Amino acid sequence: MADILLARESSEGSSRHTIIKIVRGEHSENGQFAQMFLDEGRLAMRLSHPNICTVYECGHVDARYFIAMEYVHGRTLRDVLVRSVKAKEPLPIPVILRIFSAVAEALDFAHRARDAQGRPLEIVHRDVSPQNVVIRYDGVVKLLDFGVAKATTQIHESESGALKGKFAYMSPEQAESRDIDARSDIFSLGVMLFESITGRRLFQRKNQFSTLKALLESEPPPLAQYRPDVPEGLQPIVDRALAKRSEERRVGKECRSRW
């Protein structure tokens, strides 16, 4: 969908690295997509949180649409998990919980965000996945790409008439192209948490059809089947996050205290 560039911004003797995402030409010509891209980018600019990648600016120059955002110097959660599996060294549970507490804080902030008049912005990330979680080399965790997933999903659906994306991390309602809300992101977070703890893919199969079928029909095995050292209080949190029915995903007080 976009070319990704690393840039250096200089001002009055100081400089910083910045990531610039530039929408590719064939998509820039789609007026509906371009407007949605800008709207979502401006929405993301409202989100100021230590665990959310900052969006500095969005706009267009010579009909090329762009988003300028914070450069996060680190590794994606996907990179970390792949290395862990290859080395046959599971990530320590306390490290996993620290990472996911930060991502959960970022999502909670975005889901509760309001405009200047106090009206809910109703932000949903739509693409909570290991590729969009970056762990900086100093340990700070950042969630990326707010303001991009909705526009990307819409343009894919309008071009092909079919849903495209990371099926293995979608909620059932998102995979079925139904209306979604913040609880869809909670499901995606639950999938990531299960995979980070167990070192195994939860719904990913050989093809998209099989992945979608597993997502909609299969039930996750217990965490202790793969990690005997899992704290007892963690299983109810994962179970609730991965509930097929969105109304069953709200995290209760007992889960908040355990988390």
Side-chain angles (χ1 to χ4, degrees):
M1 296 299 297
D3 295 316
I4 302 175
L5 307 177
L6 176 62
R8 183 166 57 232
E9 180 183 11
S10 300
S11 176
E12 298 181 357
S14 63
S15 65
R16 66 179 177 186
H17 284 97
T18 302
I19 292 294
I20 301 178
K21 290 191 174 186
I22 303 177
V23 177
R24 290 179 178 169
E26 63 268 27
H27 302 301
S28 294
E29 297 172 1
N30 184 319
Q32 182 181 3
F33 170 73
Q35 187 58 52
M36 184 177 296
F37 183 83
L38 291 179
D39 290 344
E40 292 296 308
R42 292 179 184 123
L43 199 62
M45 289 175 65
R46 296 173 178 263
L47 300 178
S48 178
H49 188 274
N51 299 118
I52 295 178
C53 179
T54 303
V55 175
Y56 299 130
E57 186 179 356
C58 65
H60 60 90
V61 176
D62 297 330
R64 296 297 304 275
Y65 293 84
F66 72 90
I67 288 182
M69 61 181 64
E70 173 187 5
Y71 170 56
V72 185
H73 188 46
R75 293 288 185 178
T76 67
L77 178 59
R78 181 183 182 278
D79 293 336
V80 173
L81 293 176
V82 168
R83 183 170 182 175
S84 170
V85 170
K86 287 183 176 179
K88 297 183 179 180
E89 296 179 0
L91 294 179
I93 297 293
V95 172
I96 293 173
L97 295 183
R98 183 178 182 276
I99 293 170
F100 276 82
S101 292
V103 179
E105 290 279 359
L107 286 172
D108 185 63
F109 176 83
H111 293 159
R112 296 174 184 271
R114 295 175 177 269
D115 65 13
Q117 286 71 46
R119 296 170 298 197
L121 293 175
E122 299 181 345
I123 294 175
V124 183
H125 189 287
R126 288 176 168 82
D127 191 16
V128 177
S129 58
Q131 293 92 324
N132 281 331
V133 175
V134 175
I135 305 159
R136 262 182 7 198
Y137 289 120
D138 62 0
V140 175
V141 178
K142 294 275 187 175
L143 181 60
L144 276 58
D145 270 1
F146 273 101
V148 175
K150 181 178 180 180
T152 303
T153 299
Q154 292 290 337
I155 191 65
H156 277 326
E157 290 181 347
S158 63
E159 286 179 343
S160 66
L163 178 68
K164 293 183 180 179
K166 301 167 189 165
F167 277 164
Y169 296 99
M170 288 183 181
S171 66
E173 59 270 25
Q174 184 179 5
E176 294 180 327
S177 296
R178 292 185 273 132
D179 291 339
I180 63 173
D181 56 25
R183 294 169 293 188
S184 180
D185 287 342
I186 292 175
F187 186 91
S188 303
L189 188 67
V191 177
M192 285 203 309
L193 181 55
F194 178 95
E195 295 183 349
S196 298
I197 293 170
T198 65
R200 296 172 178 268
R201 299 301 302 272
L202 181 53
F203 298 121
Q204 183 67 46
R205 301 293 188 268
K206 292 182 178 180
N207 54 59
Q208 286 190 345
F209 176 80
S210 299
T211 298
L212 181 58
K213 183 177 176 63
L215 170 66
L216 297 175
E217 298 178 1
S218 67
E219 295 296 332
L223 298 172
Q225 180 175 327
Y226 305 108
R227 288 287 295 266
D229 60 332
V230 170
E232 182 180 347
L234 194 54
Q235 185 66 58
I237 296 175
V238 174
D239 288 343
R240 188 166 296 191
L242 291 175
K244 302 294 187 187
R245 292 163 52 88
S246 61
E247 55 267 29
E248 296 175 3
R249 274 179 229 142
R250 188 175 300 278
V251 178
K253 292 182 180 179
E254 72 280 6
C255 286
R256 289 184 185 274
S257 62
R258 288 170 182 163
W259 184 274

